[in-house]
């Protein structure tokens, strides 16, 4: 290891998705307030990607901090296999109330486990009800998390390569990603649906996708009508539909949930990230009553034998309830966010380096010319230049995107785009 590579790195911490031999050391930060991160050295940065898409309203959102503080004095944790508590009951009632036909909620700890739980529910249900259904279908470019089941569902590549022999087989359909001015979309969608039809000839337990937007796969957006066609075909074939809304949930897509915006009715929905407004790690999986009932009966093997120590942590539940209430009180936080981004992205899209611009709710993305792929060094260069401008972003290779907290004000949003403009002007391309 070279001096350069190790300098600035902590002697005991091991960071996720970072390579000490390649990138710059993580930045010491001391405080977060609204969209702002205050660094140990006194600098201030706009958190342009909501800290890996979790910080929903803004850092330190007072009503959520207060709800957590209040709950901590009442009940901080209790074993959920034997007890239930008010914050969990309230959250389940309020969240299930947002969905037609999803009346059950199962807790876990993060996005990956929310997906794992959804898959295990679907699989165990089929083992009992329709054991011939042995296939799971996911999409090219998908990312569903880093635990083994979630990893198996995701696109295979750099991240999953060392584990390949341990991952179960998944059938895969194309993901017809689109952008402003895309002229080949009809053809891409037709091909994707044709492949899906072929795959669905095999008895299928579940079809899983990230509704409207693949996040880690490159902020790849699809049309609502495409998802409707997928849902209709999956259901017609008797497969369960799992919507991974870990990223798109809670207003990110411009609707409370991307499935609502797309007009689809999944059987299982995985949620995390914005669930607690980014204050605490928690995941939930929603399921239909019909699915739940197939797990109910005197036979022990009907039980869903899955659980985590921190299941339904009351602090997380209190944060989630407070965040939902805030979204209910001020729906314009998410309903108006796309219109607020649009003029800025339209202007940026005129830049000679911007290709494939696209926008969904509070998520704006574009690509830089050249090769795509997570390891493209241009992403690190863009990140470095943006930091100089006081903007923290984390491009996915050559895909640059903004996803600031919903509480961002107009001036701060304009500042994000002005910084990006400066970065693009400075790029040696
Ligand atoms: N699903 C999607 C769509 C995600 O974007 C992510 C995280 N980026 C996950 C699942 C996994 O969530 P977590 O990192 O909380 O395990």
């Amino acid at each position: 290891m070279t001096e350069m590579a190790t300098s600035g790195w902590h002697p005991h911490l091991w960071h996720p998705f970072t390579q000490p031999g390649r990138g710059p050391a993580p930045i010491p930060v001391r405080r977060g307030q609204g969209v702002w991160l205050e660094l140990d050295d006194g600098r201030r940065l706009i958190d342009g990607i909501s800290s890996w898409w979790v910080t929903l309203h803004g850092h330190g959102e007072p009503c959520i901090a207060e709800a957590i503080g209040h709950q901590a004095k009442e009940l901080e944790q209790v074993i959920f296999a034997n007890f239930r508590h008010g914050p969990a009951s309230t959250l389940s009632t309020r969240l299930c109330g947002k969905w037609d036909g999803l009346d059950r909620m199962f807790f876990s700890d993060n996005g990956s486990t929310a997906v794992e739980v959804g898959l295990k529910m679907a699989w165990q249900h089929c083992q009992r009800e329709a054991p011939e259904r042995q296939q799971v279908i996911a999409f090219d470019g998908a990312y569903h998390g880093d635990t083994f089941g979630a990893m198996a569902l995701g696109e295979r590549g750099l991240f999953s390569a060392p584990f390949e022999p341990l991952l179960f087989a998944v059938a895969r359909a194309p993901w017809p990603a689109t952008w402003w001015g895309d002229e080949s979309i009809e053809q891409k969608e037709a091909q994707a649906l044709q492949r899906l039809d072929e795959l669905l000839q095999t008895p299928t337990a579940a079809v899983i996708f990230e509704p409207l937007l693949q996040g880690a796969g490159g902020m790849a957006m699809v049309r609502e009508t495409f998802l409707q066609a997928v849902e209709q075909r999956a259901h017609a074939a008797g497969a369960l539909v799992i919507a991974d809304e870990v990223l798109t949930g809670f207003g990110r897509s411009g609707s409370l949930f991307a499935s609502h915006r797309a007009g689809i009715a999944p059987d299982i929905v995985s949620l995390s990230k914005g669930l607690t407004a980014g204050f605490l790690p928690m995941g939930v999986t929603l399921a239909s009553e019909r699915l739940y009932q197939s797990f109910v009966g005197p036979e022990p093997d009907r039980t869903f034998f899955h659980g985590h120590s921190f299941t339904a942590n009351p602090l997380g539940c209190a944060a989630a309830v407070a965040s939902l209430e805030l979204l209910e009180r001020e729906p314009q936080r998410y309903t108006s966010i796309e219109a607020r981004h649009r003029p800025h992205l339209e202007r940026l899209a005129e830049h000679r380096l911007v290709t494939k611009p696209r926008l969904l709710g509070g998520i704006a993305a574009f690509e830089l010319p050249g090769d795509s792929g997570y390891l493209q060094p241009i992403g690190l260069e863009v990140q470095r230049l943006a930091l100089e401008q006081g903007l923290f972003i984390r491009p996915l290779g050559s895909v640059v995107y903004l996803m600031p907290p919903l509480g961002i004000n107009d001036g701060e949003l304009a500042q994000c785009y002005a910084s990006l403009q400066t970065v693009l002007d400075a790029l040696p391309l």
Side-chain angles (χ1 to χ4, degrees), residues 110-133:
N110 54 58
S112 305
T113 54
V115 169
E116 296 268 340
V117 164
L119 182 64
K120 285 177 78 173
M121 280 175 178
W123 190 263
Q124 189 173 333
H125 167 83
C126 284
Q127 287 303 299
R128 176 167 286 278
E129 307 284 320
E132 72 285 3
R133 295 183 178 276

Side-chain angles (χ1 to χ4, degrees), residues 30 34 43 57 62 77 90 93 120-121 127 146 154-155 165 203 218 244-245 261 269 273 300 317 327 374 378 429:
R30 66 170 174 231
R43 276 183 299 154
H57 306 287
Q77 173 65 18
T90 306
T93 306
K120 285 177 78 173
M121 280 175 178
Q127 287 303 299
D146 289 341
E155 165 104 16
D244 175 354
E245 292 233 24
R261 179 165 175 164
V269 174
K273 292 196 188 277
C317 293
L327 291 170
Y374 186 78
I378 192 71
L429 286 180

Side-chain angles (χ1 to χ4, degrees), residues 1-281:
M1 191 67 60
T2 65
E3 244 328 275
M4 185 229 39
T6 52
S7 70
W9 291 79
H10 191 275
H12 301 297
L13 295 174
W14 189 340
H15 291 267
F17 280 97
T18 54
Q19 176 46 267
R22 195 168 176 262
I27 311 164
V29 61
R30 66 170 174 231
R31 195 158 186 267
Q33 199 67 29
V35 298
W36 295 95
L37 294 171
E38 289 178 24
L39 309 184
D40 278 9
D41 64 11
R43 276 183 299 154
R44 275 157 49 89
L45 303 175
I46 293 185
D47 185 348
I49 62 157
S50 301
S51 282
W52 252 343
W53 324 336
V54 302
T55 306
L56 190 66
H57 306 287
H59 293 278
E61 180 65 40
C63 67
I64 295 164
E66 229 166 80
I68 294 171
H70 177 76
Q71 183 57 41
K73 292 182 196 138
E74 296 292 320
L75 176 68
E76 84 299 340
Q77 173 65 18
V78 68
I79 173 173
F80 204 64
N82 301 82
F83 295 93
R84 70 164 192 250
H85 49 77
S89 305
T90 306
L91 180 60
S92 66
T93 306
R94 302 199 69 146
L95 211 45
C96 290
K98 307 280 179 213
W99 292 84
D100 274 345
L102 297 181
D103 291 319
R104 292 284 164 180
M105 187 171 105
F106 191 95
F107 285 94
S108 61
D109 295 343
N110 54 58
S112 305
T113 54
V115 169
E116 296 268 340
V117 164
L119 182 64
K120 285 177 78 173
M121 280 175 178
W123 190 263
Q124 189 173 333
H125 167 83
C126 284
Q127 287 303 299
R128 176 167 286 278
E129 307 284 320
E132 72 285 3
R133 295 183 178 276
Q134 296 278 319
Q135 175 174 258
V136 175
I137 300 177
F139 284 82
D140 290 340
Y143 177 83
H144 295 290
D146 289 341
T147 52
F148 274 93
M151 202 170 25
L153 295 171
E155 165 104 16
R156 305 297 168 81
L158 175 70
F159 303 171
S160 60
F163 312 104
E164 198 59 41
L166 303 178
L167 302 178
F168 54 81
V170 169
R172 236 167 263 282
W175 183 254
T178 192
W179 47 84
W180 292 353
D182 178 12
E183 282 170 6
S184 55
I185 184 59
E186 305 284 344
Q187 193 195 344
K188 286 186 290 191
E189 286 181 356
Q191 280 168 356
L193 291 174
Q194 192 188 338
R195 180 73 187 131
L196 183 64
D197 283 338
E198 286 162 16
L199 294 175
L200 284 168
Q201 303 290 313
T202 301
T204 300
V207 177
I208 183 166
F209 50 76
E210 299 153 79
L212 294 182
L213 169 94
Q214 286 185 342
M219 298 299 152
M221 301 178 190
V222 292
R223 300 199 297 187
E224 294 163 14
T225 44
F226 171 72
L227 273 197
Q228 289 160 15
V230 170
E231 186 232 39
Q232 185 264 323
R233 281 165 164 80
H235 277 151
L240 292 165
V241 170
I242 308 177
D244 175 354
E245 292 233 24
V246 167
L247 161 56
T248 53
F250 304 100
R252 286 288 184 203
S253 73
S255 294
L256 194 53
F257 296 102
S259 297
H260 296 177
R261 179 165 175 164
I264 58 165
D267 305 285
I268 295 174
V269 174
S270 304
L271 298 166
S272 184
K273 292 196 188 277
L275 169 65
T276 63
F279 274 66
L280 287 159

